[in-house]
Amino acid sequence: MAIYNLSGSNTDAFTLLGIPGLEQYHIWISIPFCFIYLVAIVGNSMLLYLIVVEHSLHAPMFVFLSMLAMTDLILSTTCVPKTLTILWFGPQKISFPGCLTQLFFLHYSFVLDSAILLAMAFDRYVAICLPLRYTTILTPRTIVKTAVGISFRSFCVIVPCVFLVNRLPFCRTHIIPHTYCEHIGVARLACADIAINIWYGFCVPIMTVIIDVILIAVSYTLILCAIFHLPSRDARKKALRTCGSHVCVILMFYIPAFFSILAHRFGQNVSHTFHIMFANLYVIIPPALNPIVYGVKTKQIQDKVILLLFPKGSQ
């Protein structure tokens, strides 16, 4: 059933329906969602704690990793608690300001994640290709400037989306067949021309991310060239191991992201239920897997986690 509002006011609340077509399975879907969300919260919180308290983890790579963990916490917490409420108790209302806030932090954290991965790729490039200049290039001042710069860039890219949605009149349905508010999904409910929303929402953030991908690819091309020119096989293995966790995180972030974007844009034959389900998995699985990947593949973090969890056995 559709609920229509003819007032044209943006003060009315929206109703989030959940996952259309799977309403009878909402309770069962909520079980793995809740578990994965708890893994994301515990894993990223533990990672942040270790990086803050352990002086040996205050290197630039781990500073960027702490930014990634914080951004993943923002991404998952922006969407998952509301999603779980819908899965447990049925369709939920969300105020228009609340919807705009959720929309902003969802897209902001996505673009910021991409920028952080680019910063981490640059860190690996300097560490492997310019090792003797590492401490002079990646100084604390440079790290702070980089963190502020990529955060500000992400803000500038996404904040226009909020204003583009805020200007729209919503005089038809206020029902959103989704578990959270996202830019184009909300804009399509408006009774006005949304061409600028579609143009900006698809082109500007996506082109920003594509530029990040190109620069990451260039960085790793140079890194691989430098690695295979190393004289020692052990040195090559060690260099590849230091990049392994970052490459895994890059693949986990970009492959599902571009698959979702292309399926949403060109996959007219893909069911709406699949789109919504995949979108929910995307905001919860990478934040849960990232700390696990770094914990398994980064020896410094692995050692600190073992020391934290088993203090007696590690002595």
Side-chain angles (χ1 to χ4, degrees):
M1 291 189 301
I3 298 174
Y4 292 93
N5 187 305
L6 302 176
S7 66
S9 170
N10 285 354
T11 61
D12 295 333
F14 290 103
T15 300
L16 294 165
L17 288 185
I19 306 173
L22 297 178
E23 290 85 356
Q24 65 271 36
Y25 303 111
H26 275 184
I27 290 293
W28 297 106
I29 294 170
S30 71
I31 296 172
F33 266 62
C34 185
F35 174 75
I36 298 170
Y37 178 58
L38 290 175
V39 170
I41 294 296
V42 172
N44 286 289
S45 298
M46 184 181 294
L47 199 57
L48 282 170
Y49 172 77
L50 289 173
I51 292 171
V52 170
V53 301
E54 294 292 340
H55 185 72
S56 61
L57 298 181
H58 289 179
M61 180 180 76
F62 297 110
V63 173
F64 291 132
L65 182 55
S66 68
M67 287 185 64
L68 185 68
M70 286 188 287
T71 308
D72 282 345
L73 285 172
I74 293 171
L75 175 62
S76 57
T77 303
T78 295
C79 302
V80 179
K82 192 70 174 180
T83 297
L84 290 174
T85 305
I86 295 166
L87 296 177
W88 289 333
F89 305 111
Q92 298 289 309
K93 290 190 178 296
I94 184 170
S95 67
F96 186 70
C99 189
L100 291 181
T101 302
Q102 189 180 58
L103 179 156
F104 170 77
F105 281 107
L106 167 68
H107 296 296
Y108 172 76
S109 55
F110 172 78
V111 175
L112 183 56
D113 257 344
S114 179
I116 294 168
L117 291 176
L118 174 59
M120 295 173 79
F122 178 71
D123 170 83
R124 293 299 84 203
Y125 164 76
V126 176
I128 292 172
C129 299
L130 305 168
L132 299 179
R133 299 175 56 193
Y134 184 81
T135 54
T136 57
I137 293 175
L138 290 172
T139 62
R141 184 182 180 89
T142 302
I143 300 300
V144 171
K145 285 183 177 180
T146 302
V148 172
I150 61 178
S151 300
F152 184 68
R153 187 200 73 162
S154 303
F155 177 85
C156 292
V157 167
I158 297 304
V159 78
C161 294
V162 176
F163 290 102
L164 288 173
V165 172
N166 189 55
R167 71 183 177 88
L168 295 173
F170 295 92
C171 53
R172 295 197 296 265
T173 179
H174 277 62
I175 289 183
I176 301 175
H178 207 311
T179 56
Y180 54 78
C181 297
E182 54 92 18
H183 177 209
I184 300 301
V186 176
R188 283 179 175 154
L189 302 180
C191 49
D193 181 24
I194 62 167
I196 189 172
N197 292 75
I198 293 173
W199 179 85
Y200 188 90
F202 184 76
C203 293
V204 178
I206 298 308
M207 287 307 298
T208 303
V209 172
I210 287 174
I211 291 170
D212 291 345
V213 171
I214 292 171
L215 293 174
I216 289 171
V218 170
S219 296
Y220 270 93
T221 300
L222 296 173
I223 287 169
L224 287 174
C225 289
I227 287 173
F228 290 116
H229 280 88
L230 292 173
S232 166
R233 184 177 179 180
D234 289 339
R236 288 196 295 270
K237 287 176 66 176
K238 183 178 179 181
L240 287 170
R241 198 181 305 117
T242 62
C243 296
S245 53
H246 187 223
V247 171
C248 289
V249 169
I250 287 172
L251 294 176
M252 287 191 304
F253 179 79
Y254 285 114
I255 291 176
F258 283 114
F259 177 81
S260 179
I261 291 164
L262 292 173
H264 190 74
R265 186 70 176 175
F266 304 109
Q268 287 81 9
N269 296 325
V270 179
S271 71
H272 187 62
T273 300
F274 174 82
H275 281 301
I276 305 303
M277 193 69 181
F278 192 87
N280 277 280
L281 291 174
Y282 182 72
V283 300
I284 192 172
I285 289 182
L289 290 181
N290 287 349
I292 295 174
V293 168
Y294 275 102
V296 170
K297 288 188 168 289
T298 307
K299 191 174 187 320
Q300 298 100 310
I301 294 177
Q302 190 180 67
D303 292 343
K304 299 303 179 184
V305 170
I306 293 172
L307 188 63
L308 178 67
L309 297 179
F310 309 103
K312 291 182 180 179
S314 60
Q315 291 176 352

